[in-house]
Amino acid sequence: MNDKREMLLNQGMGKLFVSLALPGMAGMIVIGLYNLVDSIFVGQFVGPAAVSAVAMGYAVILVNQAILSLFATGASSLFSRAMGAGDQKTMDALLGNVFWPVTLCSLVLTVITFSFAPEILFALGAREEILSLGIDYLRLLSLGFVFGAVGPALNFLIRAEGQMKTAMKIMALGTITNIILDPIFIKVLGMGMEGAALATIIGQSLFLFGDFAHFKSKQSSINLSTKSFRITWPLMPEIIRVGFSGMIMSLAVAIQLSILLSLSSSYSINSNIVMSTAFRIMSFFYIPIFGISYGLQPVLGANYGAGRFDRVREAFWYFGKVASAIAVGIWLFFQLFAPFILSWFITDAEIVAEGSRQFRLFLSSFLFYGLIAVFIMLFMALGKAGKGALLTLGRQLFFFIPLALLLPYMFGEIGLWLSYPLGDLCVVLFGMILVRSELKLLKRPHYAGQ
């Protein structure tokens, strides 16, 4: 543990970025591939309507991600601060505080989703073929919700240790398995949507197995024992307080996606297909940028816990600049190659041609996503749950929902496509105000988490 702590507290930011952020980016890309490959394969082998069906299932998956975020984000923040302070007792106690709550909550979600899949999908705007395909996909996928939540949740602790390469390898194990099995199950065995769901479940189960293999090894900073699976109740309030913003972020994205799918369905099935595809692409390409912020999290947490506030500021700016440069590069890719990107998912040339303009408009704010990612992580890593939640809610709900309801009323369908990027612009401006205030506080000589 001491070697890792010394690395986080003293190593140069360039080396920390290479050792933490690059594996974090790769690892988060691996996570994103789980759902993206399902969309690509069903789009190519089943049809355009299947892409919408998977996107509607993703809205429910985001609720499962909210469960794991509540406990895993808070625990990882607490873990990094405990590592910075040299508190081994707290580090050892956190595994049980993630494992049991996530498992139990995911089981509840499984029962609800399996029982009410048709009603859930109908509320999201699914009709006829999309509804039928969605039920096949979502019901089977819900049986693996525990694997899909506990595996990534425990992986948060591995990343909080600063072992980004190990976390990435574990995620890659599950994702590569999913990618290999998807075409076999969907096309070769003729399982269609259920094949995509089954491939995902098998991949996620291997993800969980890899986590436990790491915790049993000598590489882990956690001293694994039977006591590790006990819930340490005094730690729970802090875990939930910090993890609340992460949970809200996933729930807010689920609400946001539900609104977009429902409103786009009111215009046409083609509009819904393009919206589903654009949102999935946006979510995937945002993941590696947010992966940079997860590489930033242990650096911020450890230095904050050790009272090295100068390095907190230095890390924030260094990682933020790199994340922003990458975001601008991805934005250019979207704007220049929209038809090519859409064709990965949609085989109908007419839908691709009509949807390219909408796609470019929807993703026109992506160049700001590097800033948004590090803004959110700054407050999460420092345990400022209130500010983190405020930024998250601002992006997904407070700005977006009024715009999504007002702009289509004023400008028709084009207003719906404008609502998302304008909401992002509002949250960037709001985030600048919050971050500027926090960085000023960190310059105070006797700052202690005001």
Side-chain angles (χ1 to χ4, degrees), residues 188-231:
V188 178
L189 298 181
M191 296 177 66
M193 300 297 288
E194 291 181 335
L198 182 59
T200 299
I201 293 172
I202 293 173
Q204 290 172 338
S205 66
L206 291 177
F207 194 155
L208 180 58
F209 173 81
D211 288 340
F212 277 113
H214 167 75
F215 290 128
K216 289 182 69 176
S217 73
K218 294 181 180 180
Q219 293 181 347
S220 177
S221 300
I222 295 175
N223 299 320
L224 189 66
S225 67
T226 55
K227 293 181 179 179
S228 302
F229 291 92
R230 298 175 183 175
I231 296 178

Side-chain angles (χ1 to χ4, degrees), residues 226-256:
T226 55
K227 293 181 179 179
S228 302
F229 291 92
R230 298 175 183 175
I231 296 178
T232 306
W233 292 106
L235 297 178
M236 274 308 213
E238 176 66 5
I239 289 173
I240 293 173
R241 185 183 71 83
V242 176
F244 182 76
S245 62
M247 179 194 70
I248 290 298
M249 181 165 61
S250 291
L251 286 178
V253 173
I255 295 170
Q256 186 180 56

